[in-house]
Amino acid sequence: MKFVRFGAVGSEKPGLIDSDGRVRDLSDKIGDFAGAALDPDRLARLAMIDQEPLPSVDKDVRIGAPVGDIRQLVCVGLNYSDHAAELDMPSPSEPVLFMKSPYSITGPFDDIAIPKGSVKTDWEVELAIVIGRQAENVSRAAAINHIAGFTIINDISERAWQLEGTGQWTKGKSHKGFAPLGPWLVTPDEISDVHGLKIWLDVGNDRMQDGTTKTMIFDVGHLVAFISAHMTLMPGDVIATGTPPGVGSGKKPQRFLKPDEKLRFGIESLGEQLHTMTGG
Ligand code: ZN
């Protein structure tokens, strides 16, 4: 099932994508896709309801991030072998973790402002895991029982603020709008192989990233197990699993985002996002 949240920023309502691709309103059935409502058993029950009586929603409605009240946004760095090679970095021996402010999350079609003073705003399309059930020290095999679903995130990064001077990743990656999420929360049963999905990104008409989740170094089960051994994961937490090659800072010459450029990206089976970059 593909779940969505729709409506104005801060007052999104829950919905689903019906068999004709339209958004149907679920607000009589569930408060929000947040916290305990993301339990995989609850989502499975919701997926079985009769869709016909659900009100359909205007097709021009704004789509928001598919999860509300996100408390932790945990990110994995250098998790694609071909991306590590592009940056001339060795593949890490265990997942490289950092945190991104959850207030950087925005909707999948919202404009994204380049922050004031930024000269190196860069892109990173990534598969995102949405946690559905508390996880502490779970095994790789049991990890799937703790996952509500998958979606797309862009780990937008200001490279000067991330890497130059004191080089703090959280500082360079947490600005408002730097984590567009969506368009849908896709439950795991909809995806035959999460490690065999095309993943791509265009700036304007130029294809910048063109990869596959096959080249992830640590797979989804490994990441959930590893992270849950080091911190408590709660329903509604999101894990960004790393980016394939083709980031702007890896190009020769380097290329960064400018106001009015269109940023479009997607993952097979998970949909796509489209943004207009604006001045800060
Ligand atoms: Zn990233």
Side-chain angles (χ1 to χ4, degrees):
M1 183 58 65
K2 296 182 177 83
F3 295 113
V4 288
R5 292 169 72 250
F6 64 90
V9 175
S11 51
E12 290 90 347
K13 292 178 170 179
L16 59 75
I17 304 292
D18 71 13
S19 47
D20 297 321
R22 288 173 308 190
V23 178
R24 299 272 190 154
D25 189 341
L26 274 174
S27 43
D28 279 352
K29 308 287 178 192
I30 186 169
D32 195 4
F33 291 119
L38 292 162
D39 186 277
D41 291 342
R42 283 188 73 176
L43 296 184
R45 284 199 296 277
L46 206 51
M48 289 190 322
I49 62 169
D50 181 9
Q51 298 180 5
E52 219 32 61
L54 298 172
S56 57
V57 175
D58 186 275
K59 67 176 173 44
D60 295 323
V61 74
R62 171 184 173 272
I63 302 296
V67 181
D69 196 26
I70 295 168
R71 308 280 178 98
Q72 288 198 107
L73 177 46
V74 186
C75 302
V76 183
L78 295 173
N79 195 33
Y80 280 74
S81 52
D82 37 3
H83 175 55
E86 150 187 76
L87 299 178
D88 284 327
M89 312 257 295
S91 288
S93 57
E94 61 176 30
V96 174
L97 303 185
F98 62 94
M99 308 291 278
K100 195 166 164 114
S101 166
Y103 307 115
S104 60
I105 289 167
T106 191
F109 305 106
D110 293 342
D111 289 354
I112 298 174
I114 295 170
K116 214 177 172 66
S118 162
V119 289
K120 295 185 177 177
T121 295
D122 201 351
W123 53 84
E124 294 189 357
V125 61
E126 306 193 7
L127 172 74
I129 304 168
V130 177
I131 297 296
R133 192 175 288 156
Q134 185 171 341
E136 290 174 339
N137 281 309
V138 301
S139 69
R140 188 174 170 185
I144 190 67
N145 304 325
H146 297 263
I147 294 174
F150 300 99
T151 186
I152 304 167
I153 195 165
N154 199 315
D155 174 20
I156 296 181
S157 306
E158 214 300 337
R159 300 299 184 197
W161 300 346
Q162 176 195 350
L163 298 169
E164 296 170 15
T166 52
Q168 300 175 50
W169 287 31
T170 296
K171 182 188 73 179
K173 288 171 170 272
S174 291
H175 204 276
K176 186 175 185 178
F178 269 25
L181 191 73
W184 314 310
L185 171 65
V186 181
T187 52
D189 58 291
E190 289 250 328
I191 303 163
S192 57
D193 178 12
V194 77
H195 304 109
L197 305 176
K198 287 192 180 66
I199 175 168
W200 55 270
L201 177 143
D202 293 342
V203 179
N205 295 321
D206 298 329
R207 173 79 23 126
M208 295 295 186
Q209 295 190 272
D210 194 6
T212 158
T213 57
K214 248 184 220 119
T215 60
M216 280 173 73
I217 298 168
F218 303 107
D219 67 17
V220 164
H222 190 127
L223 292 175
V224 171
F226 181 84
I227 296 167
S228 81
H230 294 284
M231 68 182 80
T232 301
L233 290 170
M234 294 295 286
D237 288 349
V238 172
I239 301 169
T241 61
T243 199
V247 299
S249 54
K251 303 272 179 205
K252 292 183 181 74
Q254 292 187 326
R255 176 167 171 179
F256 298 107
L257 291 163
K258 297 193 240 359
D260 301 323
E261 282 189 315
K262 301 279 186 207
L263 186 63
R264 184 193 288 269
F265 49 92
I267 301 179
E268 189 180 356
S269 304
L270 299 180
E272 62 177 61
Q273 299 191 16
L274 176 63
H275 304 272
T276 301
M277 304 307 298
T278 64

